[in-house]
Amino acid sequence: MKKQRLIPPRDCVEEIARRLAIIAAQPQLNAILGVNPDALAEAEQRQALRRRGQQLGPLHGVPLIVKDNIACAGQPLTAGCEALAALRPTTDALVVQRLRAAGAIILARANMSEFAFDVRSRSSLGGDVHHPLFPGITAGGSSGGSAAAVAAGMAEGALGTDTGGSIRIPCSYTGLVGLRPRLRRAMMEGIAPLSLSKDTVGPMVHSVQDAALLHGILHGHRPRAVEPVSLKGVRFGTIRALEGSDAQQHEVWHAALAQLTRHGATLVETDLPILGEIEVATCLSLYEFRVGFDAWLKQHPGAPAICGGLSLQDDFCRSSCPC
């Protein structure tokens, strides 16, 4: 099991300066849309508290990166859209409030799929997010900027949002641990919506321990260590119809299944009788996006309602979605 990396640094200022230098050295990844201009000042404040023997919480002085659909007061909130570049929320999202209360420093805002609606991370504001190890390959989406940033060492952890795989896909592409929490509508306070019935927010990190730490903090719980559990007798359903036809994907997928069985799990082949209907149905998110995002825009005075003569939603859907 990988060890916990989200540990308060001995020198908060040195840590923030080092991570900012890593961000500055890798602009070609397009992982970051902007850095927090107050990050070093916040680090100095955290270090002063540390010298006095005080600590705000388990993330004291730890730099984190957040996807740019999550509000950080006074900083841009763009959802990757160039038309929203001037939008500035006046309050932090609930999850950001909890991270700050635990001592974290929000270091930067991550690039993403525009409006969080793609399995790549491509936006009109930041371009394509590139994989840190394979520059010609996508880092996945829609939280690809968060994944690329953590994989490249810009921070040890980041927040992403997940509607239909947007944390899990980029984490799988970059070798990270991503967690899509159970849906809790209240957790999305201050986050630009895609699908009100499916949106979630969660951690993107290097280890299960770090995922558990951030998950607890985000949900207002006291963090606790995660202990290994046995898979003996645990049953997992597998759906052969969703395996696809790519040989390399098959190799990785079946290696993972074999690993589960070696640790005692039981695999049960499962059918989805409604799979055919699902494949031809229009995605629910396309309907919910128009309603939810329009209502979100109205909550932000000065936010544009139109883009190039079309509503933002229509412009996006006509160029990027099969709606």
Side-chain angles (χ1 to χ4, degrees):
M1 180 183 293
K2 293 182 180 179
K3 295 182 179 179
Q4 182 174 327
R5 294 197 189 188
L6 296 179
I7 300 171
R10 292 182 178 275
D11 189 320
C12 301
V13 178
E14 181 182 274
E15 174 70 357
I16 293 300
R18 183 172 73 89
R19 300 292 182 170
L20 287 172
I22 294 174
I23 290 174
Q26 301 183 83
Q28 76 282 358
L29 295 181
N30 291 341
I32 300 298
L33 291 178
V35 299
N36 175 8
D38 299 323
L40 280 171
E42 292 176 20
E44 290 171 357
Q45 180 191 50
R46 302 289 195 281
Q47 191 62 19
L49 289 172
R50 185 181 179 89
R51 285 194 293 267
R52 296 199 294 268
Q54 299 175 337
Q55 186 165 296
L56 293 178
L59 297 176
H60 189 90
V62 173
L64 295 173
I65 289 170
V66 300
K67 186 176 180 180
D68 201 27
N69 59 348
I70 301 172
C72 295
Q75 297 184 50
L77 177 60
T78 71
C81 179
E82 189 173 10
L84 298 177
L87 195 153
R88 298 288 191 281
T90 57
T91 58
D92 287 333
L94 174 62
V95 291
V96 172
Q97 293 174 30
R98 288 176 172 169
L99 291 177
R100 293 193 198 275
I105 296 172
I106 305 303
L107 186 63
R109 299 174 292 105
N111 195 8
M112 55 183 283
S113 307
E114 193 152 343
F115 301 119
F117 212 144
D118 199 348
V119 294
R120 300 168 298 180
S121 286
R122 169 177 292 175
S123 72
S124 62
L125 192 59
D128 286 9
V129 177
H130 299 292
H131 196 291
L133 298 180
F134 308 99
I137 297 176
T138 179
S142 65
S143 306
S146 295
V150 174
M154 299 175 186
E156 296 295 346
L159 292 192
T161 58
D162 191 308
T163 302
S166 290
I167 287 175
R168 294 161 288 166
I169 292 168
C171 281
S172 70
Y173 279 26
T174 54
L176 300 177
V177 175
L179 175 63
R180 173 193 164 87
R182 185 175 60 188
L183 177 66
R184 290 181 174 87
R185 182 71 60 81
M187 298 302 299
M188 299 302 295
E189 180 185 326
I191 300 177
L194 170 57
S195 176
L196 296 176
S197 68
K198 297 187 291 181
D199 291 342
T200 59
V201 56
M204 303 173 71
V205 289
H206 286 283
S207 72
V208 172
Q209 294 285 0
D210 284 331
L213 173 66
L214 283 187
H215 177 77
I217 291 170
L218 295 179
H219 289 80
H221 303 153
R222 176 174 293 182
R224 59 183 180 182
V226 176
E227 299 296 332
V229 297
S230 173
L231 290 181
K232 187 175 182 179
V234 177
R235 291 159 57 88
F236 290 92
T238 62
I239 305 171
R240 189 174 296 277
L242 296 179
E243 288 186 355
S245 57
D246 185 274
Q248 290 179 312
Q249 290 181 356
H250 271 212
E251 183 179 351
V252 174
W253 168 244
H254 287 286
L257 294 181
Q259 183 83 333
L260 288 173
T261 58
R262 280 195 295 271
H263 284 80
T266 299
L267 304 182
V268 181
E269 286 198 21
T270 305
D271 293 324
L272 285 181
I274 64 170
L275 187 58
E277 298 175 38
I278 293 173
E279 289 176 338
V280 298
T282 302
C283 178
L284 174 64
S285 299
L286 287 172
Y287 297 107
E288 294 192 325
F289 174 65
R290 296 173 181 273
V291 176
F293 199 82
D294 188 55
W296 178 82
L297 282 174
K298 291 176 181 178
Q299 296 171 7
H300 295 82
I306 58 172
C307 178
L310 299 170
S311 72
L312 287 171
Q313 298 95 322
D314 286 342
D315 187 46
F316 166 70
C317 288
R318 292 187 189 187
S319 63
S320 305
C321 291
C323 60

